[in-house]
Every structure is written in structure tokens, then in C-alpha cells.
Amino acid sequence: MASGGGNNRNGTHRNSLKGTTTTSAASTDKPLSVNSNPSKPAFKNKSSPLTGASSGLRKSSPGSLGGGAAKDDAGVPGRVRVAVRLRPRNAEESVADADFADCVELQPELKRLKLRKNNWDTDTYEFDEVLTEFASQKRVYEVAAKPVVEGVLDGYNGTIMAYGQTGTGKTYTLGRLGEEDTANRGIMVRAMEDILAEVSPEIDSVLVSYLQLYMESLQDLLDPTNDNISIVEEPKSGDVSLPGATLVEIRDQQSFLELLRLGEAHRHAANTKLNTESSRSHALLMVHVKRTVKGREPAHSSDNGNSTSMARSLRPPLVRKGKLVVVDLAGSERIDKSGSDGHTREEAKSINLSLSALGKCINALAENSAHVPVRDSKLTRLLRDSFGGTARTSLVITVGPSPRHRGETASTIMFGQRAMKVENMLKLKEEFDYKSLARRLDIQLDKLIMEHERKQKAFEVEIERITAEAQNRISEAERNYADAVEKERLKYQKDYMESIKKLEEKWMMNQQNQGNERKMVHIAEEVAEVKKLLSKETSLRKAAEEEVDNLKSQLAQLKMSEALANSEILKLQKMVEDEVCQKEKLEGEISMLQSQLLHLSFEADETRKRLDRGGPGKVPGGLDSPVSQVRSQLKDSGNGEKASVAKLFEQVGLQKILSLLEAEDADVRIHAVKVVANLAAEETNQQKIVEAGGLKSLLMLLGSSEDETIHRVAAGAIANLAMNEKNQELIMSQGGISLLSTTASHAKDPQTLRMVAGAIANLCGNDKLQTKLRGEGGIKALLEIVKCGHPDVLAQVARGIANFAKCESRASTQGSKTGRSLLIEDGALPWIVQNANSDASPIRRHTELALCHLAQHEVNAKDMISEGALWELVRISQDCPREDIRTLAHRTLASSPDFIAGLKRLRIDY
């Protein structure tokens, strides 16, 4: 990944620090405590801009880089810790500045730094730790980095960052591998040693990513082909993740060192006047540590399996996840001092811009600003958790002694002073490891299944043995039972036959003795029975004759009643005929009154439209003053309603308003849908409503609610949303036409039908939806709506048909459609012809336009001639008040062979 003006690094430090074997006087001080109360950030022997009200600690605020965390999460306050490290003079400075004193004087025992302004004046600053040029790498790690590493092992996020002018030892402090001398190992190597010493390879994991931010492009140092990694931010928690970055699991220190060598070999560097191997990118080492909390792991259940141990085994182990970010920032530089030109100059500009963005964010956090410009640079987005977020952050600022670079040194010191004012809220990343529990339960389940299968097999074998033995015993018992039953049957059959034979012999003897006596008694009984029947028949005949006489008299009476009833029926029929005539006369009068009422309503609408347009025209019947009053009242109430809806929208929020559409209270739903309809009337709100699911909620409300008011207002809101082409496709994909058609079939209020017709009319104007709209019954729904007869409703229907005809005409002209018009196939042509000369100008205008567009396609000509549309086209070409429609009709008649032939056949002089 070579770039112009730069070369790849070989992993060695550019300007090694001198005297690293000697510790400073402050080496006996205890390591920095991240949670301790901060001391005063700085003081000068003259007035300092950092003193005063701005010197207070930075608290968590909505504007912090890590402001995505919830307010009610538990957290521990922890200020950003800043240590300053002085680089010794290098060979070039020893010669060039031999006659000048160092511009920096350190007081490590007081944790102070003095910056010389001139020979007699200095500025004094305090830091959490002051490291002289003799401080060892171990000392730097223990005071600046080790507390952060320990926090990562305990489940907190941590950041270690080096900031300073190019060539002051940032990479030496952080990334030194210490291959020649282990005492020179940097913070990265020492941090991984401590992490690997604490984790358990069997149950814990350590994953590492190594990246560089070069020219605002996030690149993978472990995979040079992956040179544009995206940054993903969780909207709720504000956490930053890099899904495209390479993650390598680290098992030992040697593999980590090889990974660092590979990354350093791919990092961009260049030779400048200030540094022979100057970093041209910001390097970020990310270490993800996942540790199982010891002593909290529930014990496995024993083989005998009592219930208490089994319940404990179902508890998942507790794990802590910490992330360590080590940031080696590219050095800030001045073009005139570094001598950068060409591509190197562009690299320097990019570095300075990202560092400037970081400085602006630090300033905003230090000053408790309401806005933090975190999105100005990818660097600030990556570090949003490190400053003002949830991470434990330690900053090492590196400075040089040369008085020639006093300005850069002062800028670095002021950056550190402002960073000391930033306070983070440290949060423990602790959770249950359900995956580990699932694996353990899977193993237990497999064992139980195997044991169950073994026992099941043994049980089946035993069952088979017992079944076979039982079958043998049953068979033997059945045979013995059958033999015994057969013997008993033969014995009883023999006894039965003998008994029957004896009884027959006795019966024969008795019959011979009693036969004669029974015959005589039987004959006497039959004669007495015949006499009784004869007397009974005689009495029945007399009763029947009396009944016949009675029926004859009743028949005569019924004939008289029938004659009277017939005369009454004739009278009633005459009265019914009179009522029918009266009803027909009343219906005629009602129809006449309805037409007059519609005409008056249309004239009132026309008058109101002229007043709205401010055009000329007289208001009939002294309506001028009342109409003006109504207009002013509507205007005032409309403005008030819009203002109240806007205020409600700002206070409550769109999501909560949409949630009220599903409320159980009908009044709440009605008010909510009215608010959504008012919001949908504003074009700026329509996209927000659709993205928040408002369109889907409105369509669901049409299908589920039975309230006429909800249907009317929801249909109006859908009609407003349907003015956008993208929304039209969403409405069609979610079954909007079917729902609108169903609503129209059940609606009784003309205003509801007008809203539904308006929504369908807007959908008819989309070229892409023609076939689908017709297939789902959109045209037929419009033709059903016209039964209402209200002029406003008919105007919307006519507009929809005109839009549909216009799209068909355009498609036919472009060659994407052939065949008859879908409007003609669905039977819309008779209605169009019937209303082409309507008294209502909106209906007439749209139907005239629809006829002209239908006539553009030659295949429609025969149907139009047969339905009488030719006469209307001739009238439109001569009498239409709109010149464009009149010209279109004239051109159509003159260019169509079928129409010309029809004109000749009908003998129309045109």
C-alpha cells in the first residue's frame, strides 16, 4: 500500500529516547488513580486563560463524544489522566541549540512543568504525572498505562493515547517492540504481557485488531487489501464497532509481536526535516478481552442429579468484556518546518485537520458545550467513547526541549490541560455467557439422550420378552377354554332335545282332549263380536250425516264471506294504485329538489373558489359578507390548529403520536389520526411519517376501524401521502387499493368518499402502477363511488380517470402499451361520455381531458364512436374554454382515420 512521498515502516523507532535506564525523582510516587479527584489543571506565575470558571471538572453531558449511553445506567466518574513526557535532545538539536537553554523545565516531585516564554518569564502547569527524559519505559507504563489495563481486565473499556509534535517519541512510548533490549518495550507490548498473564486460555479470549487512519480512510494493517473499513455506531448505546476489521485471537506473546511487526510494515511513513521516519497515519490497536469471572461459575450437577445442583447448573457463567484502545497519533507539524511538499504536504494537511477536529471536541467537552463536533472527522468518531464516554482514558503528551519548537510544545501542553477537564463515566461491561451455558446444556442433553436411548432399548427388549411369554400363556388358556365350552355345549344340547321330546308328547295328549270344547266357545265369541261391530257402524253413519249437513251450511257462509272479501280487495287495490301514483309524483319532486340542491351547492363551491383565488365574480344573494366571515374564521382556526399540531409534534414526538393510532379509546384514535392528517398536509413531514411507519398504521386503521370519522380523516392523510411517487408504490405494495375500495363500499358520508376518490386519483397518476392498480380493482372502485352523485366526489373520480388516461396515452406513445384502454375494458367510457358536458366545471374539465387522451390511441376509436364520444369530441374541439384541450381534440379528430370516417358517416361538417 505504497503512496507517493512515503515509504513503509520496518517497526523501529525513529528517534530513540536517551538515558532510559535512569528513573526520575518522582519514581517513588504511586501510580495514577483514575477515580481520584483531580488537582487544579494548571497555574501560571502570570494570569492564565485556563484559570477561573472553566477550570471545573467536565461532567457527563449530552454533548460528550460518548453521549449515547443511557442516563440511568450505573457508572463511576473517572477523569481523563494526563502524563507529560520530555524527550531528550537529539544530535541535530544538540548542535543547533547548543547556545540555548531548554524551553521546558520539569519538576517531577511537584508534578509541574515550566514553559519558558523568555529568559525571565515562565508559565507553570500541573499534570497527573511528569516524566523526565530519564524516565524508563517501565516507569511510563506503570504510571500511565497499567491502571487502564487493569480496568480492562476488570470489564471496563480503556484508552491509552499519545499526542505531540512529530518526532517527540509517541511511537517509541507506545509501539517499541524492544527486540534489542527488553527494557525498551513500549506500552503495547507490556500491556499484552499483563493481559495474557491474567487470562485463562481455556475459558477466556483475547482478540486484536490493528488499524490505521490514513487520509480519512480507515485501513486494516493486518490485511492491506481491506482499505476502506466502515464505522458503525449503535443508535441507542452510542458504541462504535468496525465490522469489516480483521480480528486475530492472541494465545501467546510471540504471536502478538509478529502481529505488531506485520502492522508496522504496512503503516505509512515519510522522511521530513523533523523526522526521518515520520508517521503519516494514526495507528489504533484494539484489544478485546473477554474473561469469565472466577468464583461465580455455577457447579455442574452430579450424576445422581438432585434438584438443587441441577438448578445451579442452569445458571449461565458471568463474563466481563473490556476493550483496550491504544492510539498512536501522527505528529502535528508545520509545513514550513517539516518541509513537506507534494503528496507529503497533502498527508500533513489531513493529519492536522483530524488533530484539529480532535482538539475542537476536547475544547467543547472541557467547556461543557452543548454541541460537540464529533462527526467532523473519523478520528473523533473512533474516539467518542474515550473522551466524555464510558472508557478509562490515559493521555501521554510528548514534548521536545528545543526552543525552536516552543509554539508546538505550548500547543501540546494546552491540549493536555484541556483534556484533564474531561470526565468520563466508567461502566462495567458484565453479562451472562448464555452461549457457554448452551454448549454445556447441549453436552448434558446428548448424555441424557444416549442414556435414555440405552434404557429405552433395554426396556423394549424386556417388553418383547414379556409379550411373547404372555401370548404363549393366553394361547394355552384359550385352547383349554374352548375344549371345556364344547363339552358343556354338547351336554346341554342333549338334555334340551330330550326335554323337548317329552313336552311334545304331553301337548299332543292335551290337544286331543280339549279340542272339541274350544271350537264351540270360539264360535260363540265370534258372533258376539260381529254384533258389536254392526251397532258401532250404525252410530258412525248417523254422526257422518250430521257432519255433512253442518259442512254444507258452513260452505254457504264462506261463499258469502268470499264475495264480501273480493269487494274489499278491489277497494284496497285501487287505494294502492293511488298511493303508487302519489309516491312516483313525490319521487319526481324529490329528484328535482336534489338536482336543484346540487346545483346550488356547486354554485356555492364555485363562489368560494373564486373568493379563495381573489378573482372577479359576484356572490349571489347577499352571500358576500357571511362568506368573508367564514373564510376569516377558517383561516384563523386553521392557523391555530397548525400551530397547535406543530407544538404537539415538537413536545410529544412523531413516534408517540403514531402509537396512539392503536389506542383502545376511540376518541384517542380519532384525535391521533387528525393530528397525523394535519402533519401529512405539510410536505416536509410526509417522509418522516412514512419512515416512522405512519403509512402502514393509517392503512391498518382503514381495515380495522368502523368509525366513519376515522375513515374520512385517514383517507385524507393517505391522499396527501400519495402525492409522492415513492409513497404511491408503498401504498400499492401494502394493499392500499383494496383497503380504499372496501372503505368506499361502506362509506355513507360524501366527504369520506371524496377523500378515498382523491387518494385513488393520486395513485392513478403513476405510470408504473397502471396494471397493478387496475388488477386490484382501482378503476372499478372509482366507478362504484360515482353512485354517490355528489359533485365534489365526482370531480375527484373524474380527476383520477383523467390521470389514468393520461398515463395510458403516454405509454401508448412510447410503445410500452398496446391494445384497448383498461378504462374502456372496465366500463368507464359511458360515464366519461355522460359527464363530458357536465354543468360542474371541474367534472367537465377532467372528463374532457380524459376523452382527448383516450382518443390519442387509434385502437380505442371504434369503442368511442359506438358510445357517442365522437359528438363530445367535436363539441370539445369547438366549445371548450381551455385552448390546450380544444387544440388536442381538434388534432385528434383530424389525425384519426376512424374518426374522420365516423364524421362522414354521421354527416358532421367538421
Side-chain angles (χ1 to χ4, degrees):
M1 191 184 297
S3 61
N7 59 324
N8 292 332
R9 300 174 55 143
N10 57 10
T12 59
H13 184 53
R14 301 176 300 280
N15 291 317
S16 300
L17 296 178
K18 297 180 181 180
T20 56
T21 58
T22 305
T23 60
S24 67
S27 61
T28 57
D29 295 341
K30 60 182 180 179
L32 291 173
S33 172
V34 176
N35 296 328
S36 63
N37 293 326
S39 60
K40 294 181 180 179
F43 69 90
K44 297 183 179 182
N45 53 0
K46 293 187 177 182
S47 60
S48 169
L50 289 178
T51 59
S54 62
S55 62
L57 287 182
R58 164 76 178 177
K59 303 294 182 183
S60 294
S61 67
S64 63
L65 274 78
K71 293 183 179 179
D72 55 352
D73 291 345
V76 178
R79 178 174 59 78
V80 175
R81 311 292 290 177
V82 180
V84 60
R85 188 180 193 186
L86 176 63
R87 172 183 59 77
R89 289 194 178 193
N90 55 32
E92 188 268 336
E93 290 172 345
S94 298
V95 175
D97 301 332
D99 297 331
F100 300 95
D102 292 349
C103 67
V104 175
E105 178 184 349
L106 303 184
Q107 294 178 337
E109 65 281 355
L110 299 178
K111 296 184 180 180
R112 291 180 181 174
L113 177 147
K114 290 186 177 182
L115 179 64
R116 288 191 175 89
K117 298 173 65 175
N118 46 51
N119 291 333
W120 58 87
D121 196 5
T122 61
D123 291 334
T124 304
Y125 303 92
E126 285 187 355
F127 290 94
D128 294 299
E129 193 65 40
V130 175
L131 302 168
T132 67
E133 64 270 31
F134 305 109
S136 64
Q137 292 280 73
K138 179 179 180 182
R139 169 65 178 166
V140 174
Y141 172 75
E142 287 179 348
V143 300
K146 190 169 184 177
V148 178
V149 175
E150 291 174 348
V152 171
L153 290 170
D154 289 337
Y156 294 91
N157 289 346
T159 302
I160 304 170
M161 186 170 71
Y163 177 92
Q165 183 188 9
T166 181
T168 55
K170 297 182 298 300
T171 304
Y172 177 85
T173 301
L174 296 179
R176 187 74 169 181
L177 299 182
E179 294 174 320
E180 298 84 1
D181 186 357
T182 57
N184 290 335
R185 289 169 300 163
I187 288 176
M188 292 182 181
V189 178
R190 294 178 184 271
M192 184 56 67
E193 287 176 353
D194 285 354
I195 291 173
L196 292 176
E198 292 295 329
V199 299
S200 174
E202 292 78 13
I203 59 176
D204 301 335
S205 65
V206 180
L207 301 176
V208 172
S209 296
Y210 201 11
L211 314 166
Q212 71 173 351
L213 183 60
Y214 175 71
M215 301 282 287
E216 281 302 301
S217 174
L218 192 58
Q219 304 173 358
D220 197 332
L221 291 174
L222 305 181
D223 182 10
T225 60
N226 189 7
D227 59 357
N228 190 15
I229 300 173
S230 60
I231 302 173
V232 178
E233 300 176 9
E234 292 293 335
K236 293 183 178 179
S237 63
D239 293 339
V240 176
S241 61
L242 308 173
T246 302
L247 277 175
V248 179
E249 186 172 4
I250 301 299
R251 292 287 183 177
D252 53 63
Q253 187 70 10
Q254 187 60 35
S255 62
F256 178 67
L257 292 176
E258 293 175 0
L259 181 144
L260 289 181
R261 293 190 193 98
L262 176 64
E264 286 296 313
H266 294 141
R267 190 175 176 188
H268 287 276
N271 185 6
T272 67
K273 291 181 180 180
L274 297 178
N275 195 345
T276 59
E277 198 172 349
S278 174
S279 298
R280 315 310 290 170
S281 66
H282 307 298
L284 296 94
L285 177 71
M286 296 186 176
V287 183
H288 302 268
V289 181
K290 179 181 176 182
R291 297 184 68 201
T292 301
V293 180
K294 296 179 181 179
R296 301 285 294 275
E297 175 76 13
H300 291 277
S301 60
S302 60
D303 292 337
N304 54 11
N306 61 67
S307 59
T308 303
S309 59
M310 177 62 73
R312 282 199 302 268
S313 66
L314 295 177
R315 293 169 51 196
L318 191 65
V319 297
R320 290 177 177 172
K321 295 181 180 179
K323 181 174 72 173
L324 174 63
V325 181
V326 183
V327 186
D328 182 10
L329 296 174
S332 60
E333 62 182 55
R334 293 184 179 177
I335 305 300
D336 56 346
K337 290 187 178 182
S338 63
S340 300
D341 57 0
H343 185 72
T344 309
R345 177 188 290 267
E346 297 301 320
E347 292 175 336
K349 289 180 180 179
S350 177
I351 292 169
N352 289 338
L353 283 175
S354 60
L355 292 177
S356 176
L358 178 60
K360 291 178 181 179
C361 290
I362 296 296
N363 290 345
L365 290 168
E367 296 171 1
N368 289 319
S369 175
H371 171 67
V372 179
V374 67
R375 294 191 173 275
D376 288 357
S377 170
K378 287 187 177 181
L379 177 63
T380 54
R381 293 177 63 191
L382 289 168
L383 298 178
R384 67 179 302 164
D385 192 44
S386 303
F387 294 95
T390 63
R392 187 190 305 259
T393 301
S394 180
L395 172 65
V396 179
I397 60 172
T398 57
V399 297
S402 174
R404 289 178 297 161
H405 305 306
R406 185 193 175 283
E408 290 82 349
T409 301
S411 176
T412 301
I413 292 171
M414 297 308 297
F415 180 88
Q417 289 289 290
R418 286 188 290 268
M420 289 178 67
K421 297 182 181 181
V422 179
E423 183 170 318
N424 300 343
M425 290 299 293
L426 312 182
K427 293 180 181 177
L428 182 64
K429 310 292 183 179
E430 188 176 68
E431 62 185 27
F432 290 108
D433 189 359
Y434 290 100
K435 292 183 179 180
S436 174
L437 174 64
R439 288 194 297 269
R440 187 169 71 242
L441 292 179
D442 286 341
I443 295 172
Q444 292 182 1
L445 181 61
D446 292 339
K447 290 181 180 179
L448 292 174
I449 290 174
M450 292 176 62
E451 181 66 19
H452 173 71
E453 290 176 350
R454 183 183 64 77
K455 292 182 178 180
Q456 182 72 17
K457 187 173 182 180
F459 177 72
E460 290 175 354
V461 171
E462 183 66 17
I463 289 295
E464 290 176 358
R465 185 188 65 78
I466 295 173
T467 301
E469 183 179 349
Q471 288 290 345
N472 294 333
R473 292 183 181 180
I474 291 171
S475 299
E476 184 178 357
E478 287 178 348
R479 288 193 299 271
N480 295 336
Y481 176 74
D483 294 342
V485 168
E486 184 65 22
K487 291 178 181 180
E488 288 291 325
R489 188 183 66 80
L490 292 175
K491 179 182 177 182
Y492 284 116
Q493 187 175 5
K494 184 178 179 180
D495 294 343
Y496 171 73
M497 296 301 293
E498 291 177 353
S499 300
I500 291 296
K501 189 175 181 181
K502 291 178 180 179
L503 290 172
E504 286 178 349
E505 291 175 352
K506 291 181 179 180
W507 184 77
M508 291 297 294
M509 292 175 65
N510 292 330
Q511 285 293 107
Q512 292 176 0
N513 295 331
Q514 300 177 359
N516 297 328
E517 296 179 359
R518 289 182 176 178
K519 286 181 180 179
M520 295 301 294
V521 173
H522 183 65
I523 290 171
E525 290 177 353
E526 287 182 352
V527 171
E529 186 68 26
V530 169
K531 289 181 177 180
K532 290 180 180 178
L533 291 174
L534 182 60
S535 62
K536 185 176 181 180
E537 286 292 332
T538 302
S539 62
L540 289 175
R541 182 180 178 182
K542 291 180 178 180
E545 289 176 351
E546 293 176 355
E547 185 68 24
V548 168
D549 294 337
N550 188 22
L551 290 174
K552 286 181 179 179
S553 63
Q554 291 181 4
L555 180 61
Q557 293 177 359
L558 287 174
K559 286 182 178 180
M560 294 176 63
S561 300
E562 183 179 1
L564 295 174
N566 288 333
S567 63
E568 188 69 25
I569 288 171
L570 291 175
K571 292 180 181 179
L572 292 173
Q573 285 179 347
K574 187 175 181 180
M575 291 174 64
V576 169
E577 290 176 356
D578 293 340
E579 290 291 334
V580 169
C581 292
Q582 186 69 18
K583 180 181 178 183
E584 290 178 352
K585 185 182 296 183
L586 290 174
E587 286 179 349
E589 293 178 356
I590 290 171
S591 299
M592 186 181 299
L593 290 173
Q594 284 181 344
S595 63
Q596 291 176 359
L597 179 61
L598 290 175
H599 185 67
L600 290 175
S601 176
F602 173 72
E603 288 182 351
D605 288 342
E606 287 297 312
T607 303
R608 178 177 54 81
K609 290 178 180 178
R610 285 198 299 271
L611 289 174
D612 290 339
R613 291 195 301 267
K618 296 181 180 180
V619 180
L623 293 176
D624 192 5
S625 177
V627 169
S628 300
Q629 294 175 3
V630 171
R631 285 183 59 198
S632 62
Q633 291 174 2
L634 288 175
K635 184 175 181 181
D636 295 339
S637 63
N639 292 334
E641 185 177 3
K642 288 183 180 179
S644 62
V645 169
K647 185 175 181 181
L648 180 64
F649 177 56
E650 294 175 357
Q651 293 179 351
V652 178
L654 180 59
Q655 205 64 43
K656 290 186 178 178
I657 294 174
L658 293 179
S659 66
L660 294 178
L661 295 177
E662 300 176 4
E664 295 181 359
D665 191 342
D667 291 335
V668 174
R669 289 199 305 273
I670 290 173
H671 288 299
V673 76
K674 287 183 178 179
V675 173
V676 174
N678 282 320
L679 292 174
E682 297 291 333
E683 185 177 356
T684 56
N685 299 329
Q686 292 178 0
Q687 190 63 27
K688 297 178 182 177
I689 293 174
V690 173
E691 291 175 353
L695 176 57
K696 184 176 180 181
S697 299
L698 290 170
L699 292 173
M700 290 177 63
L701 208 56
L702 277 183
S704 61
S705 177
E706 297 179 0
D707 189 276
E708 183 82 359
T709 302
I710 290 179
H711 286 173
R712 181 176 68 254
V713 181
I718 293 171
N720 287 333
L721 296 176
M723 290 189 291
N724 180 278
E725 183 176 353
K726 185 176 180 182
N727 295 343
Q728 293 171 358
E729 297 177 358
L730 288 175
I731 293 171
M732 291 296 297
S733 65
Q734 297 179 14
I737 282 294
S738 300
L739 292 171
L740 290 169
S741 301
T742 303
T743 303
S745 64
H746 293 94
K748 298 180 180 178
D749 184 5
Q751 293 303 318
T752 303
L753 292 173
R754 183 171 70 87
M755 295 299 180
V756 174
I760 298 177
N762 290 337
L763 296 175
C764 287
N766 193 319
D767 295 341
K768 303 176 184 176
L769 305 178
Q770 294 279 293
T771 304
K772 187 173 182 181
L773 188 142
R774 185 252 185 170
E776 293 183 7
I779 302 302
K780 292 183 178 180
L782 287 176
L783 296 178
E784 286 295 322
I785 292 174
V786 301
K787 296 179 181 179
C788 169
H790 195 280
D792 291 343
V793 178
L794 297 182
Q796 292 299 324
V797 173
R799 184 171 68 87
I801 291 176
N803 288 341
F804 197 95
K806 183 178 180 181
C807 292
E808 279 194 328
S809 175
R810 185 159 52 240
S812 299
T813 304
Q814 296 172 355
S816 59
K817 182 186 182 307
T818 58
R820 287 198 312 163
S821 168
L822 299 179
L823 290 171
I824 296 177
E825 290 182 0
D826 281 352
L829 184 57
W831 185 87
I832 299 174
V833 174
Q834 180 183 356
N835 289 272
N837 198 15
S838 173
D839 293 334
S841 61
I843 302 175
R844 183 175 65 253
R845 183 176 68 254
H846 290 305
T847 50
E848 288 176 347
L849 188 60
L851 279 176
C852 291
H853 283 304
L854 288 175
Q856 293 295 304
H857 198 33
E858 187 68 19
V859 73
N860 299 328
K862 293 182 179 179
D863 293 302
M864 296 182 70
I865 292 172
S866 64
E867 291 294 338
L870 184 57
W871 293 96
E872 293 300 326
L873 286 172
V874 172
R875 181 191 61 77
I876 293 170
S877 67
Q878 296 174 352
D879 301 330
C880 181
R882 287 185 52 174
E883 183 179 357
D884 56 338
I885 299 178
R886 191 168 64 249
T887 303
L888 182 61
H890 178 76
R891 187 171 66 248
T892 302
L893 290 172
S895 61
S896 172
D898 288 336
F899 286 139
I900 294 173
L903 292 171
K904 292 179 179 179
R905 185 173 62 255
L906 297 174
R907 297 179 181 179
I908 300 174
D909 186 12
Y910 183 76

